[in-house]
Amino acid sequence: MEKILIIGAGGQIGTELVLALRKLKGKNNVIAADIKDECPDILSDGVYVQMDVLNKEFVRSFIIDNKITEVYLLAALLSATAEKNPAFAWRLNMEGLFTILDLAKEKYLKKVFWPSSIAVFGPSTPVDSTPQVTVMEPSTVYGISKLAGERWCEYYAKKYNVDVRSIRYPGLISYTSLPGGGTTDYAVDIFYQAKLGNKFSCFLKEGAKLPMMYMEDAIRATIELMSSDEKNIKIRSSYNLAGSSFSPKELALEIQKIIPDFAIEYKPDFRQEIADTWPNSIDDSSAREDWGWKERFSTSDIVKTMLSNVNTGLLIN
Ligand code: AKB
């Protein structure tokens, strides 16, 4: 029987992954863990544990004592926050990964999911249809930690037969919980401001085109990757994954099809420098061939779904 632990369950991906996995595997088989003392209301139908991923002894004993078989390790600092606190970002993004990979190496865990990001690419990477295997010279702390993590995942898989699986997530767009600390977060904030009837001040330039994906697609991809037969998983660093790609201007034009008065201004800050080093679009043919990935949400689907579902009350809580 699978017993799943999701670390970083209160974040943008974690929240939706817990909900989806509880639906699929039963709520008693999916434990949510996060640094926050209080369980987020939305996850209160199942077990919640306060967990600091840097408390190695606690993480180890929790996993061993509760006979956890599968871990999704989502706790991390994202690109913009990591630039403000590089030493802590490196520690947080790497140490937790080693704790979990070691537990898998010692056979306490059967399977591990660890998220990578398009941030592994850098200014010398080809920007259009970025291939799975290409030049990777990330220039952000977050990107460096994700690239190092990818190399370690592959190393543990090859040397110690650890079943670790990973996706290089693009910017993720969702309405259930707010993102925090990312360069792609503008593409979520924009919907709240549009819904409130406010002019949106964008921290990226109008032409900053980046790979993006609707959360439902990202969660489905994660679950499909994790449930695919082990023999299909040929890449143990991390899979490229594409949904749609758009710039702030293209997104604003899509929103204006539904809210014609929507206004946007561009005030690029330090996050534009991060975006400048990331691809415009991603070639995800390996994920398609190996485990059958196919996205469902186009940019216009994302816009329609977000505008009908964002709850501006979330901004206050
Ligand atoms: C970020 O912007 O830092 C993240 C990412 C692309 O990994 N959303």
Side-chain angles (χ1 to χ4, degrees), residues 188-219:
V188 176
D189 298 343
I190 195 170
F191 292 104
Y192 288 87
Q193 300 311 322
K195 200 82 185 263
L196 287 166
N198 295 339
K199 180 174 193 179
F200 180 63
S201 179
C202 185
F203 58 71
L204 296 185
K205 287 185 196 156
E206 63 174 36
K209 185 168 183 157
L210 291 170
M212 299 282 185
M213 181 175 283
Y214 187 56
M215 186 62 85
E216 195 176 307
D217 270 348
I219 297 296

mmCIF file of all heavy atoms in Angstrom, residues 188-219:
data_model
loop_
_atom_site.group_PDB
_atom_site.id
_atom_site.type_symbol
_atom_site.label_atom_id
_atom_site.label_comp_id
_atom_site.label_asym_id
_atom_site.label_seq_id
_atom_site.Cartn_x
_atom_site.Cartn_y
_atom_site.Cartn_z
ATOM 1 N N VAL A 188 -0.007 35.114 -12.608
ATOM 2 C CA VAL A 188 -1.130 34.783 -11.726
ATOM 3 C C VAL A 188 -1.727 36.088 -11.203
ATOM 4 O O VAL A 188 -2.934 36.315 -11.312
ATOM 5 C CB VAL A 188 -0.668 33.884 -10.551
ATOM 6 C CG1 VAL A 188 -1.826 33.626 -9.594
ATOM 7 C CG2 VAL A 188 -0.111 32.563 -11.085
ATOM 8 N N ASP A 189 -0.856 36.976 -10.692
ATOM 9 C CA ASP A 189 -1.334 38.264 -10.131
ATOM 10 C C ASP A 189 -2.214 39.012 -11.128
ATOM 11 O O ASP A 189 -3.199 39.641 -10.751
ATOM 12 C CB ASP A 189 -0.149 39.194 -9.800
ATOM 13 C CG ASP A 189 0.770 38.604 -8.748
ATOM 14 O OD1 ASP A 189 0.331 37.656 -8.063
ATOM 15 O OD2 ASP A 189 1.918 39.072 -8.624
ATOM 16 N N ILE A 190 -1.859 38.952 -12.380
ATOM 17 C CA ILE A 190 -2.563 39.729 -13.412
ATOM 18 C C ILE A 190 -4.081 39.437 -13.401
ATOM 19 O O ILE A 190 -4.893 40.341 -13.584
ATOM 20 C CB ILE A 190 -1.930 39.428 -14.799
ATOM 21 C CG1 ILE A 190 -2.350 40.447 -15.847
ATOM 22 C CG2 ILE A 190 -2.217 38.037 -15.281
ATOM 23 C CD1 ILE A 190 -1.539 40.316 -17.177
ATOM 24 N N PHE A 191 -4.448 38.186 -13.112
ATOM 25 C CA PHE A 191 -5.876 37.822 -13.142
ATOM 26 C C PHE A 191 -6.639 38.443 -11.971
ATOM 27 O O PHE A 191 -7.793 38.823 -12.110
ATOM 28 C CB PHE A 191 -6.036 36.295 -13.140
ATOM 29 C CG PHE A 191 -5.543 35.679 -14.421
ATOM 30 C CD1 PHE A 191 -4.331 35.026 -14.478
ATOM 31 C CD2 PHE A 191 -6.295 35.799 -15.585
ATOM 32 C CE1 PHE A 191 -3.865 34.485 -15.666
ATOM 33 C CE2 PHE A 191 -5.842 35.257 -16.781
ATOM 34 C CZ PHE A 191 -4.617 34.604 -16.815
ATOM 35 N N TYR A 192 -5.972 38.518 -10.813
ATOM 36 C CA TYR A 192 -6.625 39.131 -9.639
ATOM 37 C C TYR A 192 -6.873 40.607 -9.915
ATOM 38 O O TYR A 192 -7.957 41.128 -9.632
ATOM 39 C CB TYR A 192 -5.748 38.948 -8.389
ATOM 40 C CG TYR A 192 -5.750 37.506 -7.921
ATOM 41 C CD1 TYR A 192 -4.836 36.584 -8.437
ATOM 42 C CD2 TYR A 192 -6.688 37.054 -6.996
ATOM 43 C CE1 TYR A 192 -4.846 35.258 -8.038
ATOM 44 C CE2 TYR A 192 -6.710 35.726 -6.585
ATOM 45 C CZ TYR A 192 -5.788 34.835 -7.111
ATOM 46 O OH TYR A 192 -5.812 33.521 -6.726
ATOM 47 N N GLN A 193 -5.860 41.294 -10.472
ATOM 48 C CA GLN A 193 -6.010 42.728 -10.734
ATOM 49 C C GLN A 193 -7.056 42.967 -11.824
ATOM 50 O O GLN A 193 -7.843 43.909 -11.742
ATOM 51 C CB GLN A 193 -4.653 43.357 -11.104
ATOM 52 C CG GLN A 193 -3.595 43.222 -10.008
ATOM 53 C CD GLN A 193 -4.095 43.633 -8.622
ATOM 54 O OE1 GLN A 193 -4.853 44.598 -8.480
ATOM 55 N NE2 GLN A 193 -3.690 42.883 -7.586
ATOM 56 N N ALA A 194 -7.065 42.095 -12.837
ATOM 57 C CA ALA A 194 -8.059 42.230 -13.910
ATOM 58 C C ALA A 194 -9.464 42.074 -13.333
ATOM 59 O O ALA A 194 -10.379 42.830 -13.652
ATOM 60 C CB ALA A 194 -7.800 41.187 -15.000
ATOM 61 N N LYS A 195 -9.617 41.102 -12.459
ATOM 62 C CA LYS A 195 -10.925 40.833 -11.844
ATOM 63 C C LYS A 195 -11.355 41.994 -10.939
ATOM 64 O O LYS A 195 -12.529 42.330 -10.861
ATOM 65 C CB LYS A 195 -10.785 39.535 -11.049
ATOM 66 C CG LYS A 195 -12.036 38.783 -10.694
ATOM 67 C CD LYS A 195 -12.574 37.901 -11.790
ATOM 68 C CE LYS A 195 -13.892 37.266 -11.394
ATOM 69 N NZ LYS A 195 -13.770 35.924 -10.876
ATOM 70 N N LEU A 196 -10.379 42.619 -10.259
ATOM 71 C CA LEU A 196 -10.696 43.746 -9.376
ATOM 72 C C LEU A 196 -10.925 45.043 -10.153
ATOM 73 O O LEU A 196 -11.270 46.064 -9.581
ATOM 74 C CB LEU A 196 -9.540 43.977 -8.381
ATOM 75 C CG LEU A 196 -9.395 42.936 -7.259
ATOM 76 C CD1 LEU A 196 -8.051 43.071 -6.568
ATOM 77 C CD2 LEU A 196 -10.528 43.098 -6.243
ATOM 78 N N GLY A 197 -10.660 45.014 -11.457
ATOM 79 C CA GLY A 197 -10.828 46.215 -12.283
ATOM 80 C C GLY A 197 -9.669 47.187 -12.135
ATOM 81 O O GLY A 197 -9.761 48.367 -12.478
ATOM 82 N N ASN A 198 -8.522 46.684 -11.626
ATOM 83 C CA ASN A 198 -7.345 47.544 -11.449
ATOM 84 C C ASN A 198 -6.434 47.509 -12.665
ATOM 85 O O ASN A 198 -6.397 46.515 -13.386
ATOM 86 C CB ASN A 198 -6.516 47.073 -10.245
ATOM 87 C CG ASN A 198 -7.263 47.228 -8.944
ATOM 88 O OD1 ASN A 198 -8.209 48.018 -8.864
ATOM 89 N ND2 ASN A 198 -6.854 46.478 -7.929
ATOM 90 N N LYS A 199 -5.673 48.603 -12.823
ATOM 91 C CA LYS A 199 -4.604 48.598 -13.830
ATOM 92 C C LYS A 199 -3.492 47.713 -13.269
ATOM 93 O O LYS A 199 -3.147 47.823 -12.080
ATOM 94 C CB LYS A 199 -4.098 50.022 -14.005
ATOM 95 C CG LYS A 199 -2.992 50.175 -15.021
ATOM 96 C CD LYS A 199 -2.697 51.657 -15.201
ATOM 97 C CE LYS A 199 -1.839 51.876 -16.404
ATOM 98 N NZ LYS A 199 -1.562 53.293 -16.607
ATOM 99 N N PHE A 200 -2.949 46.842 -14.090
ATOM 100 C CA PHE A 200 -1.919 45.918 -13.604
ATOM 101 C C PHE A 200 -0.534 46.463 -13.895
ATOM 102 O O PHE A 200 -0.214 46.813 -15.026
ATOM 103 C CB PHE A 200 -2.102 44.543 -14.259
ATOM 104 C CG PHE A 200 -1.068 43.540 -13.809
ATOM 105 C CD1 PHE A 200 -0.994 43.155 -12.474
ATOM 106 C CD2 PHE A 200 -0.167 42.987 -14.711
ATOM 107 C CE1 PHE A 200 -0.034 42.247 -12.045
ATOM 108 C CE2 PHE A 200 0.789 42.062 -14.288
ATOM 109 C CZ PHE A 200 0.850 41.695 -12.955
ATOM 110 N N SER A 201 0.290 46.516 -12.840
ATOM 111 C CA SER A 201 1.670 46.964 -13.019
ATOM 112 C C SER A 201 2.543 45.712 -13.108
ATOM 113 O O SER A 201 2.671 44.970 -12.136
ATOM 114 C CB SER A 201 2.049 47.834 -11.823
ATOM 115 O OG SER A 201 3.369 48.248 -11.984
ATOM 116 N N CYS A 202 3.122 45.493 -14.291
ATOM 117 C CA CYS A 202 3.835 44.238 -14.552
ATOM 118 C C CYS A 202 5.330 44.424 -14.309
ATOM 119 O O CYS A 202 5.929 45.360 -14.830
ATOM 120 C CB CYS A 202 3.590 43.809 -16.001
ATOM 121 S SG CYS A 202 4.316 42.209 -16.361
ATOM 122 N N PHE A 203 5.929 43.493 -13.543
ATOM 123 C CA PHE A 203 7.362 43.634 -13.239
ATOM 124 C C PHE A 203 8.264 43.066 -14.333
ATOM 125 O O PHE A 203 9.478 43.062 -14.210
ATOM 126 C CB PHE A 203 7.702 43.065 -11.856
ATOM 127 C CG PHE A 203 7.356 41.593 -11.655
ATOM 128 C CD1 PHE A 203 8.079 40.588 -12.281
ATOM 129 C CD2 PHE A 203 6.300 41.231 -10.826
ATOM 130 C CE1 PHE A 203 7.782 39.252 -12.096
ATOM 131 C CE2 PHE A 203 5.986 39.886 -10.629
ATOM 132 C CZ PHE A 203 6.730 38.893 -11.261
ATOM 133 N N LEU A 204 7.650 42.556 -15.412
ATOM 134 C CA LEU A 204 8.436 42.128 -16.578
ATOM 135 C C LEU A 204 8.106 43.044 -17.760
ATOM 136 O O LEU A 204 7.061 43.697 -17.776
ATOM 137 C CB LEU A 204 8.111 40.686 -16.960
ATOM 138 C CG LEU A 204 8.462 39.599 -15.939
ATOM 139 C CD1 LEU A 204 8.191 38.217 -16.537
ATOM 140 C CD2 LEU A 204 9.917 39.685 -15.481
ATOM 141 N N LYS A 205 8.980 43.027 -18.773
ATOM 142 C CA LYS A 205 8.735 43.811 -19.993
ATOM 143 C C LYS A 205 7.601 43.197 -20.812
ATOM 144 O O LYS A 205 7.368 41.986 -20.713
ATOM 145 C CB LYS A 205 9.989 43.781 -20.879
ATOM 146 C CG LYS A 205 11.133 44.612 -20.389
ATOM 147 C CD LYS A 205 12.219 44.554 -21.472
ATOM 148 C CE LYS A 205 13.553 45.007 -20.972
ATOM 149 N NZ LYS A 205 14.680 44.470 -21.724
ATOM 150 N N GLU A 206 7.000 43.990 -21.675
ATOM 151 C CA GLU A 206 5.852 43.476 -22.434
ATOM 152 C C GLU A 206 6.201 42.268 -23.303
ATOM 153 O O GLU A 206 5.381 41.407 -23.551
ATOM 154 C CB GLU A 206 5.211 44.588 -23.278
ATOM 155 C CG GLU A 206 6.107 45.176 -24.344
ATOM 156 C CD GLU A 206 5.353 46.174 -25.226
ATOM 157 O OE1 GLU A 206 4.488 46.895 -24.694
ATOM 158 O OE2 GLU A 206 5.632 46.199 -26.439
ATOM 159 N N GLY A 207 7.468 42.189 -23.745
ATOM 160 C CA GLY A 207 7.823 41.105 -24.672
ATOM 161 C C GLY A 207 8.480 39.903 -24.002
ATOM 162 O O GLY A 207 8.981 39.017 -24.703
ATOM 163 N N ALA A 208 8.489 39.859 -22.667
ATOM 164 C CA ALA A 208 9.215 38.774 -21.963
ATOM 165 C C ALA A 208 8.443 37.460 -22.059
ATOM 166 O O ALA A 208 7.667 37.088 -21.168
ATOM 167 C CB ALA A 208 9.436 39.164 -20.504
ATOM 168 N N LYS A 209 8.689 36.744 -23.147
ATOM 169 C CA LYS A 209 7.942 35.505 -23.402
ATOM 170 C C LYS A 209 8.566 34.355 -22.603
ATOM 171 O O LYS A 209 9.775 34.138 -22.686
ATOM 172 C CB LYS A 209 8.008 35.214 -24.895
ATOM 173 C CG LYS A 209 7.193 34.047 -25.332
ATOM 174 C CD LYS A 209 7.095 34.035 -26.845
ATOM 175 C CE LYS A 209 6.217 32.897 -27.304
ATOM 176 N NZ LYS A 209 5.669 33.123 -28.616
ATOM 177 N N LEU A 210 7.733 33.640 -21.862
ATOM 178 C CA LEU A 210 8.240 32.533 -21.037
ATOM 179 C C LEU A 210 7.319 31.318 -21.167
ATOM 180 O O LEU A 210 6.122 31.469 -21.423
ATOM 181 C CB LEU A 210 8.272 32.950 -19.561
ATOM 182 C CG LEU A 210 9.294 34.014 -19.159
ATOM 183 C CD1 LEU A 210 9.038 34.493 -17.734
ATOM 184 C CD2 LEU A 210 10.714 33.489 -19.294
ATOM 185 N N PRO A 211 7.879 30.118 -20.951
ATOM 186 C CA PRO A 211 7.044 28.912 -20.953
ATOM 187 C C PRO A 211 6.129 28.911 -19.722
ATOM 188 O O PRO A 211 6.580 29.195 -18.611
ATOM 189 C CB PRO A 211 8.060 27.770 -20.847
ATOM 190 C CG PRO A 211 9.391 28.377 -21.129
ATOM 191 C CD PRO A 211 9.306 29.809 -20.742
ATOM 192 N N MET A 212 4.872 28.575 -19.909
ATOM 193 C CA MET A 212 3.873 28.602 -18.827
ATOM 194 C C MET A 212 2.990 27.361 -18.919
ATOM 195 O O MET A 212 2.890 26.748 -19.991
ATOM 196 C CB MET A 212 2.975 29.838 -18.972
ATOM 197 C CG MET A 212 3.702 31.152 -18.880
ATOM 198 S SD MET A 212 4.065 31.544 -17.160
ATOM 199 C CE MET A 212 4.767 33.176 -17.362
ATOM 200 N N MET A 213 2.292 27.086 -17.825
ATOM 201 C CA MET A 213 1.391 25.922 -17.849
ATOM 202 C C MET A 213 0.266 26.112 -16.835
ATOM 203 O O MET A 213 0.494 26.653 -15.746
ATOM 204 C CB MET A 213 2.185 24.665 -17.494
ATOM 205 C CG MET A 213 1.380 23.396 -17.511
ATOM 206 S SD MET A 213 2.412 21.965 -17.222
ATOM 207 C CE MET A 213 3.171 21.787 -18.821
ATOM 208 N N TYR A 214 -0.900 25.651 -17.184
ATOM 209 C CA TYR A 214 -2.015 25.681 -16.232
ATOM 210 C C TYR A 214 -1.813 24.558 -15.205
ATOM 211 O O TYR A 214 -1.375 23.454 -15.560
ATOM 212 C CB TYR A 214 -3.343 25.510 -16.984
ATOM 213 C CG TYR A 214 -4.517 25.704 -16.061
ATOM 214 C CD1 TYR A 214 -4.649 26.874 -15.328
ATOM 215 C CD2 TYR A 214 -5.466 24.710 -15.901
ATOM 216 C CE1 TYR A 214 -5.712 27.045 -14.445
ATOM 217 C CE2 TYR A 214 -6.533 24.868 -15.034
ATOM 218 C CZ TYR A 214 -6.643 26.046 -14.306
ATOM 219 O OH TYR A 214 -7.679 26.205 -13.432
ATOM 220 N N MET A 215 -2.116 24.855 -13.947
ATOM 221 C CA MET A 215 -1.821 23.915 -12.852
ATOM 222 C C MET A 215 -2.442 22.527 -13.056
ATOM 223 O O MET A 215 -1.824 21.514 -12.744
ATOM 224 C CB MET A 215 -2.279 24.511 -11.526
ATOM 225 C CG MET A 215 -1.901 23.687 -10.325
ATOM 226 S SD MET A 215 -0.123 23.520 -10.112
ATOM 227 C CE MET A 215 0.265 25.007 -9.208
ATOM 228 N N GLU A 216 -3.662 22.497 -13.585
ATOM 229 C CA GLU A 216 -4.308 21.181 -13.768
ATOM 230 C C GLU A 216 -3.446 20.281 -14.670
ATOM 231 O O GLU A 216 -3.313 19.090 -14.425
ATOM 232 C CB GLU A 216 -5.696 21.401 -14.384
ATOM 233 C CG GLU A 216 -6.597 20.192 -14.301
ATOM 234 C CD GLU A 216 -7.983 20.517 -14.853
ATOM 235 O OE1 GLU A 216 -8.606 21.511 -14.402
ATOM 236 O OE2 GLU A 216 -8.431 19.777 -15.746
ATOM 237 N N ASP A 217 -2.862 20.881 -15.707
ATOM 238 C CA ASP A 217 -1.947 20.132 -16.580
ATOM 239 C C ASP A 217 -0.704 19.694 -15.796
ATOM 240 O O ASP A 217 -0.231 18.558 -15.933
ATOM 241 C CB ASP A 217 -1.500 20.993 -17.773
ATOM 242 C CG ASP A 217 -2.442 20.857 -18.979
ATOM 243 O OD1 ASP A 217 -3.296 19.946 -18.983
ATOM 244 O OD2 ASP A 217 -2.300 21.659 -19.921
ATOM 245 N N ALA A 218 -0.166 20.597 -14.980
ATOM 246 C CA ALA A 218 1.071 20.281 -14.245
ATOM 247 C C ALA A 218 0.839 19.151 -13.237
ATOM 248 O O ALA A 218 1.681 18.254 -13.086
ATOM 249 C CB ALA A 218 1.577 21.527 -13.518
ATOM 250 N N ILE A 219 -0.321 19.172 -12.589
ATOM 251 C CA ILE A 219 -0.625 18.124 -11.600
ATOM 252 C C ILE A 219 -0.832 16.791 -12.321
ATOM 253 O O ILE A 219 -0.326 15.745 -11.906
ATOM 254 C CB ILE A 219 -1.883 18.504 -10.769
ATOM 255 C CG1 ILE A 219 -1.613 19.793 -9.978
ATOM 256 C CG2 ILE A 219 -2.329 17.364 -9.865
ATOM 257 C CD1 ILE A 219 -0.535 19.719 -8.926
#
